[in-house]
Amino acid sequence: MKIAVIIPSRFGSSRFEGKPLALILGKPMIQRVYEAALGAKNVTDVVVATDDQRIAEAVSGFGGRAVMTSGENRSGTDRVAEAAARMALAMDDIVINVQGDQPLLDPRCLKHVTAPFFSDGEAGMTTLAYKIVDPREITNPKDVKVTFDVRGYALYFSRSPIPFGRDSGIPFDTYKHLGVYAYTRGFLEMFRKLPEGRLEAIEKLEQLRALEYGHKIRIVVTPYDSPEVDLPEDIPRIEALMG
Protein backbone atom coordinates (compact mmCIF):
# COMPACT_ATOMS: atom_id res chain seq x y z
CA MET A 1 0.00 0.00 0.00
CA LYS A 2 1.35 3.41 -0.99
CA ILE A 3 0.93 6.49 1.19
CA ALA A 4 1.20 9.59 -0.99
CA VAL A 5 1.25 13.18 0.25
CA ILE A 6 -0.33 15.51 -2.30
CA ILE A 7 -0.11 19.26 -1.65
CA PRO A 8 -2.69 21.26 -3.66
CA SER A 9 -1.28 24.64 -4.61
CA ARG A 10 -2.65 27.49 -6.70
CA PHE A 11 -1.23 30.92 -7.42
CA GLY A 12 -4.42 32.94 -7.50
CA SER A 13 -5.99 34.00 -4.22
CA SER A 14 -8.23 36.96 -3.50
CA ARG A 15 -6.60 37.48 -0.10
CA PHE A 16 -2.98 36.59 -0.88
CA GLU A 17 -2.05 36.17 -4.53
CA GLY A 18 1.09 34.11 -5.06
CA LYS A 19 1.01 32.78 -1.50
CA PRO A 20 2.80 29.46 -2.27
CA LEU A 21 5.85 31.41 -3.48
CA ALA A 22 5.96 33.85 -0.56
CA LEU A 23 9.27 33.59 1.25
CA ILE A 24 9.39 32.14 4.77
CA LEU A 25 12.88 32.73 6.20
CA GLY A 26 14.28 32.79 2.69
CA LYS A 27 12.47 29.77 1.23
CA PRO A 28 9.20 29.68 -0.73
CA MET A 29 6.35 28.54 1.51
CA ILE A 30 5.58 25.59 -0.76
CA GLN A 31 9.16 24.39 -0.27
CA ARG A 32 8.78 24.58 3.51
CA VAL A 33 5.64 22.44 3.37
CA TYR A 34 7.14 20.00 0.86
CA GLU A 35 10.29 19.47 2.92
CA ALA A 36 8.26 18.96 6.10
CA ALA A 37 6.18 16.27 4.36
CA LEU A 38 9.36 14.57 3.16
CA GLY A 39 10.36 14.21 6.79
CA ALA A 40 7.48 11.81 7.49
CA LYS A 41 8.80 8.28 7.80
CA ASN A 42 5.60 6.59 6.66
CA VAL A 43 5.08 8.21 3.23
CA THR A 44 6.15 6.84 -0.14
CA ASP A 45 5.57 9.92 -2.35
CA VAL A 46 5.37 13.69 -1.93
CA VAL A 47 4.08 15.82 -4.82
CA VAL A 48 2.66 19.28 -5.39
CA ALA A 49 -0.54 19.42 -7.44
CA THR A 50 -0.85 22.74 -9.26
CA ASP A 51 -2.28 24.38 -12.36
CA ASP A 52 0.31 27.16 -12.40
CA GLN A 53 3.61 26.90 -14.25
CA ARG A 54 5.30 29.33 -11.86
CA ILE A 55 4.63 27.04 -8.94
CA ALA A 56 5.67 23.96 -10.92
CA GLU A 57 8.95 25.62 -11.86
CA ALA A 58 9.61 26.65 -8.26
CA VAL A 59 9.01 23.08 -7.10
CA SER A 60 11.34 21.70 -9.76
CA GLY A 61 13.89 24.34 -8.77
CA PHE A 62 14.25 22.98 -5.25
CA GLY A 63 14.27 19.38 -6.45
CA GLY A 64 10.64 18.56 -5.76
CA ARG A 65 8.02 16.88 -7.93
CA ALA A 66 5.01 18.71 -9.33
CA VAL A 67 1.94 17.26 -11.05
CA MET A 68 0.10 19.61 -13.40
CA THR A 69 -3.67 19.60 -12.94
CA SER A 70 -6.64 21.32 -14.54
CA GLY A 71 -7.51 24.92 -13.77
CA GLU A 72 -11.18 23.89 -13.60
CA ASN A 73 -10.99 22.08 -10.25
CA ARG A 74 -13.58 23.48 -7.84
CA SER A 75 -11.52 22.79 -4.70
CA GLY A 76 -8.18 21.61 -3.40
CA THR A 77 -9.68 18.17 -2.83
CA ASP A 78 -10.62 17.90 -6.50
CA ARG A 79 -7.08 18.90 -7.43
CA VAL A 80 -5.69 16.21 -5.12
CA ALA A 81 -8.02 13.62 -6.64
CA GLU A 82 -6.91 14.51 -10.17
CA ALA A 83 -3.25 14.25 -9.17
CA ALA A 84 -3.86 10.87 -7.50
CA ALA A 85 -5.39 9.62 -10.76
CA ARG A 86 -2.46 10.95 -12.80
CA MET A 87 -0.11 9.14 -10.42
CA ALA A 88 -2.07 5.90 -11.08
CA LEU A 89 -2.53 5.23 -7.36
CA ALA A 90 -4.55 2.14 -6.52
CA MET A 91 -8.01 2.54 -4.99
CA ASP A 92 -6.80 1.21 -1.62
CA ASP A 93 -3.70 3.41 -1.52
CA ILE A 94 -3.79 6.24 1.03
CA VAL A 95 -3.72 9.87 -0.06
CA ILE A 96 -2.73 12.58 2.45
CA ASN A 97 -3.96 16.04 1.53
CA VAL A 98 -1.68 18.65 3.11
CA GLN A 99 -2.57 22.30 2.66
CA GLY A 100 0.21 24.31 1.06
CA ASP A 101 0.02 27.13 3.61
CA GLN A 102 1.25 25.18 6.65
CA PRO A 103 5.01 25.80 6.79
CA LEU A 104 5.14 24.64 10.42
CA LEU A 105 3.75 21.20 9.58
CA ASP A 106 5.26 18.59 11.89
CA PRO A 107 5.98 15.43 9.85
CA ARG A 108 5.06 13.22 12.80
CA CYS A 109 1.40 14.21 12.45
CA LEU A 110 1.26 12.46 9.06
CA LYS A 111 1.74 9.14 10.81
CA HIS A 112 -1.03 10.10 13.24
CA VAL A 113 -3.55 10.93 10.51
CA THR A 114 -3.01 7.60 8.71
CA ALA A 115 -3.02 5.38 11.82
CA PRO A 116 -6.80 4.64 11.74
CA PHE A 117 -6.48 2.98 8.31
CA PHE A 118 -4.46 0.24 9.96
CA SER A 119 -6.63 -0.19 13.06
CA ASP A 120 -10.18 0.77 12.11
CA GLY A 121 -11.93 -1.10 9.34
CA GLU A 122 -14.50 1.72 8.97
CA ALA A 123 -11.97 4.45 8.21
CA GLY A 124 -12.35 5.99 4.76
CA MET A 125 -11.45 9.56 5.64
CA THR A 126 -9.48 11.00 8.55
CA THR A 127 -8.32 14.44 9.65
CA LEU A 128 -6.43 16.11 12.48
CA ALA A 129 -7.53 18.15 15.48
CA TYR A 130 -5.48 20.08 18.03
CA LYS A 131 -6.59 21.10 21.52
CA ILE A 132 -6.71 24.90 21.52
CA VAL A 133 -4.38 26.61 23.97
CA ASP A 134 -4.76 30.18 22.66
CA PRO A 135 -8.28 31.36 23.67
CA ARG A 136 -8.36 33.81 20.74
CA GLU A 137 -8.59 30.87 18.35
CA ILE A 138 -11.90 29.78 19.90
CA THR A 139 -13.72 32.86 18.60
CA ASN A 140 -11.65 33.57 15.47
CA PRO A 141 -13.66 32.36 12.43
CA LYS A 142 -10.49 31.57 10.45
CA ASP A 143 -9.73 28.84 13.01
CA VAL A 144 -12.18 26.02 12.32
CA LYS A 145 -13.46 24.13 15.32
CA VAL A 146 -14.53 20.48 15.44
CA THR A 147 -16.55 18.29 17.79
CA PHE A 148 -16.47 14.48 17.78
CA ASP A 149 -18.20 11.54 19.40
CA VAL A 150 -16.88 9.09 21.99
CA ARG A 151 -15.44 6.90 19.22
CA GLY A 152 -13.57 9.79 17.65
CA TYR A 153 -15.84 10.43 14.66
CA ALA A 154 -16.64 14.01 13.65
CA LEU A 155 -20.01 15.42 14.66
CA TYR A 156 -19.57 18.89 13.16
CA PHE A 157 -17.05 21.46 11.95
CA SER A 158 -17.73 25.17 12.33
CA ARG A 159 -16.12 28.58 12.20
CA SER A 160 -18.10 29.39 15.35
CA PRO A 161 -17.11 28.20 18.82
CA ILE A 162 -18.31 24.62 19.34
CA PRO A 163 -19.36 23.37 21.77
CA PHE A 164 -20.80 26.52 23.30
CA GLY A 165 -20.84 26.50 27.09
CA ARG A 166 -24.24 27.77 28.19
CA ASP A 167 -23.46 27.63 31.89
CA SER A 168 -20.22 28.90 33.37
CA GLY A 169 -18.32 26.54 35.61
CA ILE A 170 -18.47 23.54 33.26
CA PRO A 171 -14.90 22.96 32.07
CA PHE A 172 -14.37 21.62 28.55
CA ASP A 173 -11.76 21.64 25.83
CA THR A 174 -12.19 23.16 22.37
CA TYR A 175 -10.48 21.55 19.40
CA LYS A 176 -9.17 23.26 16.29
CA HIS A 177 -9.32 21.47 12.98
CA LEU A 178 -5.98 21.26 11.16
CA GLY A 179 -5.95 21.18 7.35
CA VAL A 180 -4.50 17.72 6.94
CA TYR A 181 -6.73 14.95 5.55
CA ALA A 182 -6.17 11.34 4.61
CA TYR A 183 -8.39 9.10 2.50
CA THR A 184 -8.22 5.94 0.51
CA ARG A 185 -8.11 6.89 -3.14
CA GLY A 186 -11.42 5.05 -3.58
CA PHE A 187 -13.08 7.27 -0.95
CA LEU A 188 -11.54 10.36 -2.52
CA GLU A 189 -12.99 9.47 -5.93
CA MET A 190 -16.44 9.01 -4.39
CA PHE A 191 -16.18 12.24 -2.40
CA ARG A 192 -15.22 14.42 -5.35
CA LYS A 193 -18.36 13.34 -7.23
CA LEU A 194 -20.76 14.43 -4.47
CA PRO A 195 -22.70 17.65 -5.05
CA GLU A 196 -21.86 20.59 -2.80
CA GLY A 197 -23.61 20.30 0.54
CA ARG A 198 -25.88 22.96 2.01
CA LEU A 199 -23.85 23.30 5.21
CA GLU A 200 -20.65 23.23 3.17
CA ALA A 201 -21.89 26.24 1.20
CA ILE A 202 -22.88 28.11 4.37
CA GLU A 203 -19.69 27.54 6.37
CA LYS A 204 -17.36 27.31 3.33
CA LEU A 205 -15.93 24.05 4.70
CA GLU A 206 -15.76 21.24 2.17
CA GLN A 207 -15.30 18.51 4.82
CA LEU A 208 -18.93 19.10 5.81
CA ARG A 209 -19.88 17.59 2.45
CA ALA A 210 -18.84 14.16 3.72
CA LEU A 211 -20.94 14.48 6.89
CA GLU A 212 -23.97 15.82 5.01
CA TYR A 213 -24.00 12.77 2.75
CA GLY A 214 -23.68 10.35 5.66
CA HIS A 215 -19.99 9.52 5.56
CA LYS A 216 -17.81 9.28 8.65
CA ILE A 217 -14.66 11.27 9.29
CA ARG A 218 -12.32 9.91 11.93
CA ILE A 219 -10.74 12.67 14.04
CA VAL A 220 -7.18 12.13 15.23
CA VAL A 221 -6.03 14.47 18.01
CA THR A 222 -2.40 15.42 17.54
CA PRO A 223 -0.11 17.28 19.95
CA TYR A 224 1.48 19.17 17.03
CA ASP A 225 -0.12 22.45 15.99
CA SER A 226 0.15 23.57 12.36
CA PRO A 227 -0.65 27.29 12.04
CA GLU A 228 -1.68 28.44 8.59
CA VAL A 229 -0.64 31.49 6.58
CA ASP A 230 -3.81 33.24 5.43
CA LEU A 231 -2.54 36.77 4.84
CA PRO A 232 0.85 38.43 4.23
CA GLU A 233 0.83 39.79 7.78
CA ASP A 234 0.84 36.20 9.11
CA ILE A 235 4.36 35.62 7.81
CA PRO A 236 6.28 37.49 10.57
CA ARG A 237 4.34 35.52 13.20
CA ILE A 238 5.17 32.21 11.50
CA GLU A 239 8.84 33.17 11.11
CA ALA A 240 9.00 34.05 14.81
CA LEU A 241 7.61 30.62 15.70
CA MET A 242 10.24 28.99 13.50
CA GLY A 243 12.95 30.75 15.46
Side-chain angles (χ1 to χ4, degrees), residues 7 57 71 73-75 85 95 125 136 142 210 212:
I7 306 167
E57 290 174 359
N73 286 303
R74 58 178 174 164
S75 69
V95 177
M125 178 177 179
R136 292 174 297 181
K142 83 175 185 63
E212 289 189 76

Side-chain angles (χ1 to χ4, degrees), residues 196-207:
E196 181 182 49
R198 174 66 174 159
L199 296 172
E200 175 189 6
I202 294 169
E203 295 256 18
K204 302 304 180 196
L205 298 173
E206 63 181 321
Q207 64 270 33

Side-chain angles (χ1 to χ4, degrees), residues 149-213:
D149 67 19
V150 294
R151 297 180 59 209
Y153 287 96
L155 293 171
Y156 195 64
F157 298 83
S158 182
R159 298 186 183 279
S160 296
I162 53 171
F164 181 83
R166 190 196 71 171
D167 300 324
S168 61
I170 300 177
F172 62 91
D173 295 322
T174 303
Y175 289 87
K176 176 174 64 173
H177 175 234
L178 303 183
V180 177
Y181 300 91
Y183 346 67
T184 61
R185 189 190 158 209
F187 186 97
L188 183 57
E189 283 296 316
M190 177 277 300
F191 178 80
R192 71 185 296 208
K193 294 173 184 175
L194 294 174
E196 181 182 49
R198 174 66 174 159
L199 296 172
E200 175 189 6
I202 294 169
E203 295 256 18
K204 302 304 180 196
L205 298 173
E206 63 181 321
Q207 64 270 33
L208 287 173
R209 189 188 318 167
L211 298 185
E212 289 189 76
Y213 286 95

